[in-house]
Amino acid sequence: MTHDAPDGLTIRVMTRHDLDRAIDWAAGEGWNPGLKDAGCFRAADPTGFLVGDLRNEPVAAISAIRYGDTFGFLGLYIVRSDLRGHGLGVSLWQAGMAYLEDRVVGLDGVVAQQANYTRSGFVLAHRNVRFGGMPQVEAPRDERLRIVGPGLIEAVLAYDRPYFPAPREAFLRCWLTPDTRTAIAFVEDGTIKGYGVIRACRNGHKIGPLFAHGRREAEALFQALAARAAGQPVFLDLPEANRAAIGLAADHGLSPVFETARMYRGTRPDLPLAQTYGIGTFELG
């Protein structure tokens, strides 16, 4: 997918090197990406990451991830800071939206851009708030908490399905692989009742996703995951509508540091926000 935009911007699919650069740009914006996010991002949709070149120099990025035939998610929408205000981002936005065709599309937009997204047909669903801090926790000794290995992956994929608007198996198979990430499931009586993932980031660690039947399971998972941060900062991106999640974060000394507007174009997905204690990523949903 390569075409020339009216303003002379050439838009093409990112190479892996381009994606690494875009993630560096995201770090520069203060978004604190994970140390090894790029590989799993590409697994979600290898052709869904677009870069804009101006005179053969990369100047803008966007991700437009196709999840099956019905859902898409926009993220990593960045124009190089010294070139903003010249309409370069609009062309990239249009290319991303065209790639997603007539799917329902979600995004986690910075609050300052909410009005612009509204003009593009997006409607606010809820706020997502990033909580961060230095939780003082020890890993619980609980046999129900199990590291997600090959024997649990299929069950976790099935558990995850209601929490996201479309299947995302390719992404999750990567995200659940122990690398700079650790996935833990809460398994009781042979049934998964929650799971979460923690990953190393430019600053500290992020927990995401964190899904659980209730506060009891979420609390145990949070403690087990946060203990792996070994005293470094921990961040949790949660939907503001889940008051229990806010309570959990506050009880562990985390406080709001950033927020986004979760918005959708098209029919809003019916997701179990009351059991969503942490979303996966602001970039991919």
Side-chain angles (χ1 to χ4, degrees), residues 139-146 186-187 220:
R141 296 181 179 179
D142 190 332
E143 293 181 352
R144 297 170 299 183
L145 293 168
R146 294 172 53 187
F186 189 103
V187 185

Side-chain angles (χ1 to χ4, degrees), residues 13-48:
V13 175
M14 288 187 193
T15 64
R16 173 57 192 268
H17 179 67
D18 292 322
L19 181 53
D20 289 338
R21 182 193 301 109
I23 290 175
D24 283 342
W25 287 350
E29 296 293 321
W31 297 351
N32 194 25
L35 296 182
K36 293 197 175 180
D37 284 356
C40 294
F41 283 7
R42 275 177 67 87
D45 182 356
T47 58

Side-chain angles (χ1 to χ4, degrees), residues 41-152:
F41 283 7
R42 275 177 67 87
D45 182 356
T47 58
F49 295 88
L50 307 179
V51 60
D53 293 329
L54 194 63
R55 293 182 289 278
N56 295 317
E57 185 178 1
V59 296
I62 197 168
S63 58
I65 306 305
R66 289 175 169 177
Y67 290 104
D69 297 328
T70 60
F71 185 65
F73 202 87
L74 288 169
L76 274 180
Y77 184 33
I78 306 173
V79 176
R80 218 173 66 190
S81 59
D82 58 319
L83 291 171
R84 291 172 186 169
H86 300 288
L88 300 175
V90 174
S91 295
L92 209 59
W93 169 271
Q94 291 170 344
M97 291 296 285
Y99 176 74
L100 295 178
E101 298 174 318
D102 58 355
R103 290 166 174 79
V104 172
V105 180
L107 59 81
D108 276 314
V110 295
V111 175
Q113 293 295 325
Q114 188 173 331
N116 288 334
Y117 298 137
T118 298
R119 285 192 285 272
S120 294
F122 284 79
V123 177
L124 177 68
H126 57 84
R127 291 199 308 163
N128 282 325
V129 182
R130 173 166 297 163
F131 279 73
M134 304 277 285
Q136 304 300 312
V137 296
E138 293 184 6
R141 296 181 179 179
D142 190 332
E143 293 181 352
R144 297 170 299 183
L145 293 168
R146 294 172 53 187
I147 297 290
V148 176
L152 270 181

Side-chain angles (χ1 to χ4, degrees), residues 256-274:
V257 295
F258 183 67
E259 68 176 75
T260 67
R262 170 60 64 90
M263 306 179 78
Y264 296 102
R265 184 199 69 173
T267 303
R268 173 181 170 176
D270 184 16
L271 301 176
L273 295 183

